[in-house]
Amino acid sequence: MITDTTQSPAQSQPQSGGTPHGSTQTASTAVVGLQWGDEGKGKVIDLLAPRFDAVVRYNGGANAGHTVVIGGKKHAFHLMPSGVLHQGVRSVIANGVVVDPTVILSEIERASQALGGEVDLLISDRAHVVMPYHKAEDEMREQILSAHTDKDRSIGTTKRGIGPAYSDKAHRSTAVRVGDLLRPDLLKEKLERICEAKRPVLSALGADPAVCDASALHEECTEAGKKLRSRICDTGTLLNEMISAGGRLLFEGANATLLDLDHGTFPYVTSSNCSVCGIPSGTGLAPRHVGRVQGVLKAYSTRVGAGPFPTERDDEIGDRIRTRGNEFGTTTGRPRRCGWLDLVALKYAVTLNGVDSLAVMLLDVLAGFDELSVCTGYRTSDGSVTDRFPADASALEAVTPVYETVPGFQEEITGVRTWDDLPEGARRYLELIEQRLGVPVGIVSVGPDREQTIVRSID
Ligand code: IMP
């Protein structure tokens, strides 16, 4: 049920009390992106974080980009959980994440400076390490795919080594885990073996095999291990203990549902389970601890990198959304592909994640359009219209979107703070989303700043 409230969650008190061990109830919440990423999850997590004991990342790596704007100052992180700038809220990088030691060390330093004190960050000893050779491999594989004879077949990855690091996790014998950074002797033997196996592969891909220098990598890794020692632990046990003691966890999904390795627009996806499906395996918590699911979507659609995008507008509409929404990648700076809202894809994402409440972000970007279009069906090659989201990327590439057009709103809404003060056109648009997705809108964002938020209901 929707309850109207003007109280900012940042002002409300953290709620204590939790779940007796063994109950099917949980006081935790998952925040997941429902489109192709960059929905504004960082802002939602920053808003909700004071109500929780810890923010837990369970997937992805430095391919994610979360921006939080506080008092006009921009704080961008890639690997660090988004709640890090709240004192008293623990940050946890759980086992499902792939950790680039260089990135996390630099983000720890930046977050500590912003906080004016030490960050409370713990990293799972079971998380996997992204090595320099993973980034080289990512780069070379993309280059090879882009030079394909008939067509550019690249995925458009962030080149942060994510795919190769997860591949090594699946290979097992060529993987390095964060816990290994604390065992120099074992690590030395491991890296020698791995480098020997990798050098010919990297050479064959056209990369400089010098990135596989076991002794240089050993020095870098053990140095990182010394700096991270106090933060590396068994986060699965820790999180289970926190829940048993009544603690509340906020799970932060990196990337987004339509980029999920199993459920996204394969093969144009990332290499982890970004949907809520990734939480149990990526944290070591039982599925019943996932709790409430807060889905996050933009008021329109964007995508970075390659892959099907039925509602993409490669025209003045797309340009206008890109300019007004500043749609350029946080991680790579690439211009994002832009288009209308796709309710077919969103309904699929809502169902997959079991979404309880929606946060609609960047609504202000749509001000000034006479009309707004939303995709309500896909016309397939045989002329029929379906509301099913296909599993196959080539099938999705072949559909034509069927649109419903509604009146837009002319008024700028960046200063609006309550639902009732929204222009009628904006409210109608939100009500259409609620009605078609069957989920209430609890949060509306009308600008990048923490304060530019309409909070209707967050429980
Ligand atoms: P990778 O995760 O770097 O392997 O990239 C795979 C695909 O996912 C590419 O199309 C990326 O642009 C996309 N991607 C990965 N992370 C994000 C994200 O956080 N936001 C948007 N797109 C992402």
Side-chain angles (χ1 to χ4, degrees), residues 363 409 418-434 456:
L363 184 63
F409 52 97
T418 65
W419 181 271
D420 290 341
D421 287 338
L422 281 169
E424 194 185 342
R427 252 183 294 131
R428 287 258 162 87
Y429 187 70
L430 295 171
E431 282 158 7
L432 175 76
I433 296 173
E434 283 188 324
R456 223 177 164 200

Side-chain angles (χ1 to χ4, degrees), residues 157-176:
T157 74
T158 58
K159 301 190 179 136
R160 296 295 192 268
I162 307 300
Y166 278 115
S167 297
D168 275 339
K169 176 176 176 175
H171 276 307
R172 292 147 294 161
S173 60
T174 46
V176 175

Side-chain angles (χ1 to χ4, degrees), residues 64-361:
H66 302 282
T67 312
V68 180
V69 182
I70 305 166
K73 195 166 172 0
K74 221 171 156 182
H75 300 272
F77 296 107
H78 297 286
L79 205 43
M80 185 70 89
S82 296
V84 69
L85 297 183
H86 290 280
Q87 293 279 12
V89 181
R90 170 165 280 176
S91 293
V92 178
I93 292 180
N95 61 280
V97 177
V98 286
V99 179
D100 184 330
T102 325
V103 175
I104 199 62
L105 284 168
S106 112
E107 292 192 358
I108 288 171
E109 200 177 314
R110 273 199 294 117
S112 301
Q113 273 167 12
L115 272 174
E118 193 56 25
V119 291
D120 180 3
L121 168 74
L122 295 173
I123 306 171
S124 170
D125 50 4
R126 291 179 171 90
H128 282 246
V129 178
V130 178
M131 302 292 262
Y133 49 75
H134 289 135
K135 289 180 261 188
E137 185 179 335
D138 200 356
E139 172 114 40
M140 293 320 293
R141 286 195 187 277
E142 282 288 275
Q143 251 183 52
I144 292 165
L145 286 169
S146 71
H148 215 269
T149 44
D150 57 336
K151 187 178 175 227
D152 179 346
R153 306 255 168 203
S154 59
I155 294 168
T157 74
T158 58
K159 301 190 179 136
R160 296 295 192 268
I162 307 300
Y166 278 115
S167 297
D168 275 339
K169 176 176 176 175
H171 276 307
R172 292 147 294 161
S173 60
T174 46
V176 175
R177 303 210 297 185
V178 168
D180 296 335
L181 303 180
L182 304 180
R183 292 183 278 271
D185 293 344
L186 192 131
L187 184 64
K188 186 167 182 288
E189 179 269 316
K190 222 178 201 184
L191 283 170
E192 278 164 4
R193 199 166 26 82
I194 292 172
C195 285
E196 199 181 320
K198 290 235 166 239
R199 230 176 273 119
V201 177
L202 281 155
S203 288
L205 289 171
D208 182 356
V211 285
C212 289
D213 178 338
S215 113
L217 290 174
H218 183 258
E219 200 180 317
E220 267 173 50
C221 286
T222 45
E223 203 46 45
K226 277 184 207 154
K227 291 182 181 151
L228 294 172
R229 176 172 289 279
S230 61
R231 303 181 185 279
I232 299 173
C233 66
D234 175 355
T235 56
T237 299
L238 171 102
L239 294 173
N240 273 297
E241 284 170 1
M242 284 181 81
I243 285 188
S244 294
R248 306 185 81 200
L249 306 179
L250 185 61
F251 301 106
E252 172 173 9
N255 327 122
T257 303
L258 302 179
L259 293 170
D260 185 286
L261 178 60
D262 285 271
H263 303 287
T265 50
F266 191 89
Y268 300 100
V269 292
T270 189
S271 304
S272 67
N273 289 119
C274 327
S275 64
V276 295
C277 305
I279 298 176
S281 62
T283 59
L285 289 166
R288 66 190 162 87
H289 294 312
V290 171
R292 188 178 160 274
V293 180
Q294 175 72 63
V296 187
L297 63 138
K298 276 179 185 170
Y300 47 90
S301 308
T302 65
R303 176 162 205 167
V304 215
F309 180 2
T311 62
E312 180 172 15
R313 294 297 301 239
D314 195 10
D315 57 10
E316 73 282 2
I317 289 175
D319 288 346
R320 185 158 158 194
I321 293 175
R322 188 176 306 105
T323 308
R324 279 188 61 91
N326 190 26
E327 293 294 354
F328 296 88
T330 321
T331 304
T332 58
R334 291 178 287 181
R336 295 180 185 138
R337 300 158 64 193
C338 299
W340 295 123
L341 197 69
D342 184 343
L343 290 173
V344 178
L346 279 167
K347 182 75 186 171
Y348 168 77
V350 160
T351 306
L352 178 70
N353 289 295
V355 172
D356 294 299
S357 170
L358 299 169
V360 180
M361 314 303 282

